[in-house]
């Protein structure tokens, strides 16, 4: 997120709207109950949350729940494959 917004002419608003455009395709294709954001995206979520949710509401004809993972999701996913 910081790289995206640093010195390249982008800002939090652009990031939130672009992420919403990406999520639109995932939501329409897979119709998930919830989308969980992790990693560096989750650490910066408060900076673009409002714009992303607003744009996603415009793009998707139904409600989508977006949550932030507060744990290391990659490790949890890897561990779940072992058990």
């Amino acid at each position: 997120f910081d790289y995206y917004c640093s010195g390249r002419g982008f800002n939090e608003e652009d990031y939130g709207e672009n992420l919403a455009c990406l999520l639109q395709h995932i939501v329409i294709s897979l119709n998930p109950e919830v989308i969980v954001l992790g990693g560096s995206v989750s650490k910066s979520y408060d900076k673009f949350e409002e714009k992303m949710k607003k744009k996603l509401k415009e793009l998707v004809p139904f409600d989508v729940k977006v949550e932030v993972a507060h744990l290391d999701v990659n490790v949890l996913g890897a561990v779940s494959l072992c058990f």
Side-chain angles (χ1 to χ4, degrees), residues 34-76:
V34 64
I35 294 175
V36 180
L37 302 175
S40 61
V41 173
S42 67
K43 294 174 185 166
S44 304
Y45 187 64
D46 61 321
K47 296 179 182 176
F48 62 84
E49 173 186 12
E50 185 178 324
K51 276 293 183 185
M52 183 206 65
K53 286 186 174 181
K54 180 180 177 187
K55 185 69 174 180
L56 196 58
K57 189 169 271 202
E58 292 173 13
L59 297 171
V60 178
F62 46 87
D63 289 334
V64 179
K65 187 173 183 180
V66 179
E67 296 290 334
V68 176
H70 297 287
L71 300 172
D72 193 346
V73 179
N74 297 331
V75 173
L76 292 175

